[in-house]
Amino acid sequence: MRLFKERIVLKQKTVYVEVEQRKRFADYVILITGASGSIGSAIAQRFAVEGATVVLTGRNLSKLQDVKNQISCSTQIDVCQMDVTDEASVSNAMKTISDKYGRIDMLINNAGFSARTVKQPLHLQTIDNIDNLLQTNLRGSILTSREVVQYMQNSKQGRIVNIASIVGLQGKDKHAEYAAAKAGVFGLMKSQAIGVGKYGITVNCVSPGLVPREDASEEKLARFEHMNRLNSICTPEDIANAVAFLCSAEARYVTGQNLCVDGGRSLGLYGD
Ligand SMILES: NC(=O)c1ccc[n+]([C@@H]2O[C@H](COP(=O)([O-])OP(=O)(O)OC[C@H]3O[C@@H](n4cnc5c(N)ncnc54)[C@H](OP(=O)(O)O)[C@@H]3O)[C@@H](O)[C@H]2O)c1
């Protein structure tokens, strides 16, 4: 049992007590797509610490195995190959996970990528690039969200969290197809939230702003630090915290919502 000091305010007096570390997700099975990436692996770490059975999915098993080996926790961590663009791969993976653990309680639709690698205005984009991006970022989330409902329907406590982006809210130059995909994810999230509420399933989005990759240069980090209202860098753990909240019992009444974790980057206009 891990203990940590918790600050508790009792009748205006602050005391520190040792309490058992919360294992909010003990006995829950969580499936994370794109779990070998920077945000996906942080989400995996966070849920493992909180006691969940974590199933890391992605296309590349050896990358998933590396993430699994980096997570030092006593909870069950598993890996399963799943390409979100492939209908059969999605349904086979979910059936395998459900057969093994008897349930899937939470789905985190995190697999995706931005137009970063092929930044071009829409009129210069190839149809292959556009299709490729939509297939993963939008169609992939539609496929997994559709498939998982049958495994959550009876438990009355399912959670689906989609990792969208503030680009889907605001648009961005040279990112039209990415913005369209993530805006589509908002539509998916809201519509599915309406449809599956009766099964006790909540569906929400977390929208990151800029989360630098591990290999980001010092120059890039310095620039990112000032591209938000808090003048600080967003970490993958900041995104994982928001996902954990939306999956927790505390968020049982929150559905159909988008939570921006962007240091205020998407807020209003900058003054002169
Ligand atoms: N980083 C940011 O600043 C930022 C901002 C806003 C939103 N987001 C969103 O956050 C999510 C994670 O981004 P990240 O920065 O962590 O990216 P990342 O490090 O590149 O990770 C992306 C993950 O998606 C997986 N993936 C790609 N295609 C897949 C497919 N067809 N099937 C299954 N998995 C697939 C990749 O694994 P394999 O290639 O091995 O399969 C990888 O694990 C994405 O949806 C992204 O759009 C990121």
Side-chain angles (χ1 to χ4, degrees):
M1 182 191 300
R2 291 182 61 189
L3 295 175
F4 74 116
K5 295 242 181 204
E6 187 173 61
R7 180 172 168 272
I8 294 189
V9 180
L10 288 174
K11 292 187 184 161
Q12 312 306 321
K13 187 174 156 226
T14 301
V15 295
Y16 291 87
V17 292
E18 293 224 310
V19 295
E20 186 181 352
Q21 180 166 29
R22 287 197 296 175
K23 297 272 183 193
R24 292 186 295 181
F25 305 117
D27 302 327
Y28 289 93
V29 178
I30 180 168
L31 186 171
I32 304 167
T33 72
S36 60
S38 89
I39 293 175
S41 54
I43 296 170
Q45 171 81 55
R46 176 58 192 265
F47 279 81
V49 165
E50 294 220 42
T53 295
V54 182
V55 186
L56 313 170
T57 73
R59 291 174 301 184
N60 184 321
L61 272 180
S62 86
K63 283 204 254 171
L64 294 171
Q65 198 62 47
D66 287 346
V67 172
K68 178 181 169 177
N69 295 340
Q70 282 160 23
I71 300 178
S72 49
C73 259
S74 54
T75 52
Q76 175 95 33
I77 318 271
D78 207 347
V79 299
C80 182
Q81 197 165 37
M82 183 169 94
D83 179 344
V84 297
T85 64
D86 179 340
E87 186 183 14
S89 171
V90 169
S91 70
N92 290 339
M94 290 209 190
K95 184 166 183 325
T96 304
I97 295 164
S98 169
D99 286 349
K100 187 163 176 187
Y101 298 106
R103 55 200 293 169
I104 301 174
D105 300 292
M106 300 163 191
L107 165 68
I108 314 302
N109 281 323
N110 167 73
F113 55 89
S114 75
R116 175 176 54 213
T117 44
V118 269
K119 273 191 216 165
Q120 289 280 8
L122 186 59
H123 62 277
L124 299 179
Q125 277 287 4
T126 66
I127 195 63
D128 284 349
N129 281 339
I130 293 170
D131 282 345
N132 192 19
L133 195 138
L134 291 173
Q135 289 264 339
T136 306
N137 287 284
L138 178 56
R139 187 173 176 276
S141 295
I142 293 175
L143 283 183
T144 53
S145 300
R146 176 184 74 159
E147 193 67 25
V148 83
V149 172
Q150 62 189 295
Y151 301 109
M152 293 181 169
Q153 231 163 352
N154 296 327
S155 75
K156 291 277 171 199
Q157 57 187 10
R159 296 278 193 271
I160 300 174
V161 179
N162 301 284
I163 307 302
S165 168
I166 61 167
V167 173
L169 286 176
Q170 300 216 309
K172 190 175 178 188
D173 186 28
K174 298 180 183 168
H175 286 71
E177 62 288 355
Y178 180 67
K182 294 299 191 183
V185 170
F186 296 137
L188 163 71
M189 174 272 286
K190 288 181 191 228
S191 307
Q192 195 179 27
I194 294 168
V196 297
K198 57 179 173 284
Y199 306 125
I201 302 172
T202 68
V203 190
N204 292 290
C205 283
V206 170
S207 284
L210 285 170
V211 188
R213 301 165 74 86
E214 274 176 18
D215 57 0
S217 65
E218 289 297 321
E219 177 274 321
K220 195 169 199 176
L221 289 175
R223 207 157 27 89
F224 277 17
E225 196 173 344
H226 300 292
M227 290 167 80
N228 61 80
R229 303 287 180 172
L230 297 177
N231 289 339
S232 71
I233 303 264
C234 184
T235 67
E237 289 72 26
D238 290 318
I239 308 303
N241 288 340
V243 174
F245 166 67
L246 289 171
C247 287
S248 71
E250 285 91 336
R252 71 166 197 96
Y253 215 59
V254 181
T255 194
Q257 303 304 310
N258 175 44
L259 177 53
C260 291
V261 182
D262 67 345
R265 179 167 160 77
S266 57
L267 286 176
L269 298 170
Y270 280 78
D272 19 307

Short mmCIF file of all heavy atoms in Angstrom, two decimals, residues 217-227 233:
data_model
loop_
_atom_site.label_atom_id
_atom_site.label_comp_id
_atom_site.label_asym_id
_atom_site.label_seq_id
_atom_site.Cartn_x
_atom_site.Cartn_y
_atom_site.Cartn_z
N SER A 217 13.25 20.86 -29.61
CA SER A 217 14.48 21.62 -29.35
C SER A 217 14.22 22.68 -28.28
O SER A 217 13.08 23.06 -28.02
CB SER A 217 14.93 22.30 -30.64
OG SER A 217 13.95 23.26 -31.01
N GLU A 218 15.32 23.17 -27.68
CA GLU A 218 15.22 24.23 -26.67
C GLU A 218 14.54 25.46 -27.26
O GLU A 218 13.73 26.12 -26.61
CB GLU A 218 16.62 24.63 -26.17
CG GLU A 218 17.29 23.57 -25.31
CD GLU A 218 16.52 23.30 -24.01
OE1 GLU A 218 16.02 24.27 -23.43
OE2 GLU A 218 16.40 22.12 -23.63
N GLU A 219 14.89 25.74 -28.53
CA GLU A 219 14.31 26.92 -29.20
C GLU A 219 12.79 26.77 -29.32
O GLU A 219 12.03 27.69 -29.05
CB GLU A 219 14.99 27.05 -30.58
CG GLU A 219 14.50 28.17 -31.48
CD GLU A 219 13.29 27.77 -32.32
OE1 GLU A 219 13.23 26.62 -32.82
OE2 GLU A 219 12.39 28.62 -32.44
N LYS A 220 12.35 25.56 -29.65
CA LYS A 220 10.92 25.30 -29.81
C LYS A 220 10.20 25.39 -28.46
O LYS A 220 9.13 25.99 -28.33
CB LYS A 220 10.73 23.90 -30.41
CG LYS A 220 9.34 23.68 -30.95
CD LYS A 220 9.30 22.40 -31.75
CE LYS A 220 8.11 22.37 -32.68
NZ LYS A 220 8.07 21.22 -33.53
N LEU A 221 10.84 24.82 -27.43
CA LEU A 221 10.22 24.86 -26.10
C LEU A 221 10.07 26.31 -25.63
O LEU A 221 9.04 26.68 -25.06
CB LEU A 221 11.08 24.08 -25.09
CG LEU A 221 11.07 22.56 -25.26
CD1 LEU A 221 12.04 21.91 -24.29
CD2 LEU A 221 9.67 22.00 -25.04
N ALA A 222 11.08 27.12 -25.90
CA ALA A 222 11.03 28.53 -25.48
C ALA A 222 9.89 29.24 -26.19
O ALA A 222 9.18 30.07 -25.61
CB ALA A 222 12.36 29.21 -25.78
N ARG A 223 9.68 28.90 -27.47
CA ARG A 223 8.60 29.51 -28.24
C ARG A 223 7.23 29.05 -27.70
O ARG A 223 6.34 29.84 -27.46
CB ARG A 223 8.76 29.10 -29.71
CG ARG A 223 8.19 30.07 -30.68
CD ARG A 223 8.80 29.97 -32.07
NE ARG A 223 9.32 28.68 -32.46
CZ ARG A 223 8.62 27.71 -33.06
NH1 ARG A 223 7.35 27.89 -33.33
NH2 ARG A 223 9.19 26.57 -33.41
N PHE A 224 7.12 27.74 -27.46
CA PHE A 224 5.85 27.17 -26.97
C PHE A 224 5.45 27.77 -25.62
O PHE A 224 4.27 27.90 -25.31
CB PHE A 224 5.96 25.65 -26.81
CG PHE A 224 5.75 24.89 -28.09
CD1 PHE A 224 5.82 25.51 -29.33
CD2 PHE A 224 5.48 23.52 -28.06
CE1 PHE A 224 5.63 24.80 -30.51
CE2 PHE A 224 5.27 22.80 -29.23
CZ PHE A 224 5.36 23.44 -30.45
N GLU A 225 6.47 28.11 -24.83
CA GLU A 225 6.20 28.58 -23.47
C GLU A 225 5.35 29.85 -23.50
O GLU A 225 4.59 30.12 -22.57
CB GLU A 225 7.53 28.85 -22.77
CG GLU A 225 7.38 28.98 -21.28
CD GLU A 225 8.72 29.07 -20.58
OE1 GLU A 225 9.75 28.74 -21.20
OE2 GLU A 225 8.72 29.47 -19.41
N HIS A 226 5.49 30.62 -24.58
CA HIS A 226 4.77 31.90 -24.64
C HIS A 226 3.59 31.87 -25.61
O HIS A 226 3.03 32.90 -25.94
CB HIS A 226 5.75 33.02 -24.98
CG HIS A 226 6.83 33.12 -23.95
ND1 HIS A 226 6.59 33.54 -22.66
CD2 HIS A 226 8.14 32.77 -23.99
CE1 HIS A 226 7.70 33.47 -21.96
NE2 HIS A 226 8.66 33.01 -22.75
N MET A 227 3.20 30.67 -26.01
CA MET A 227 2.05 30.57 -26.93
C MET A 227 0.80 30.15 -26.17
O MET A 227 -0.05 29.43 -26.69
CB MET A 227 2.38 29.59 -28.06
CG MET A 227 3.43 30.15 -29.01
SD MET A 227 4.11 28.91 -30.13
CE MET A 227 2.86 28.82 -31.37
N ILE A 233 4.72 25.42 -20.30
CA ILE A 233 4.65 24.34 -21.29
C ILE A 233 3.64 23.29 -20.83
O ILE A 233 3.60 22.93 -19.65
CB ILE A 233 6.04 23.66 -21.40
CG1 ILE A 233 7.10 24.68 -21.77
CG2 ILE A 233 6.00 22.46 -22.32
CD1 ILE A 233 7.44 24.77 -23.21
#
